[in-house]
Amino acid sequence: MLESLFGTINKENVLLYVYARGEGYPRGVAKFFATDLRSIQNQFENLEAGGVLYSRMVGNTRLYAFNPDCPYLPELKALLEKSLAMYPENERELLEVGRRRPA
């Protein structure tokens, strides 16, 4: 839905996943959306370089979350909330629940 705004479906998927779960890691996003891991890693890296996300290490896994210092974070979250509300209920529930930490 937001691919035209964000440039790629993978960037949209990363942002929606992190928004719905509060944090995420590349392998989890790639597995959830059944897509290429390297493409997802690139999106996480680009979003972190742009100041939208930040990361921290938990064991051997790099977890990403929204950067609270991002100046347009409230607007981005509002857009993601609206987009998530348009997803079919079963897909939205799958995205919002599940494991919240790396495997």
Side-chain angles (χ1 to χ4, degrees):
M1 287 180 221
L2 299 174
E3 180 181 353
S4 60
L5 289 174
F6 294 136
T8 70
I9 189 68
N10 286 331
K11 188 172 285 183
E12 177 183 349
N13 289 343
V14 165
L15 290 169
L16 280 171
Y17 188 95
V18 172
Y19 176 74
R21 296 191 177 198
E23 60 187 11
Y25 58 104
R27 189 172 305 280
V29 175
K31 185 176 179 181
F32 183 84
F33 289 105
T35 190
D36 179 56
L37 175 60
R38 188 64 203 147
S39 298
I40 296 297
Q41 288 171 326
N42 287 340
Q43 295 307 321
F44 272 108
E45 291 168 7
N46 291 339
L47 289 164
E48 183 176 28
V52 177
L53 300 178
Y54 76 95
S55 67
R56 69 185 197 289
M57 292 300 292
V58 177
N60 291 329
T61 302
R62 182 170 299 280
L63 282 179
Y64 292 83
F66 283 108
N67 182 354
D69 295 331
C70 179
Y72 47 85
L73 186 59
E75 292 85 359
L76 176 60
K77 284 185 171 183
L79 182 62
L80 292 169
E81 176 64 35
K82 188 173 270 192
S83 178
L84 194 58
M86 297 172 76
Y87 271 64
E89 188 175 343
N90 61 333
E91 287 182 37
R92 189 172 57 242
E93 287 175 1
L94 284 174
L95 190 57
E96 292 174 338
V97 296
R99 294 187 65 150
R100 303 235 185 236
R101 61 182 179 85

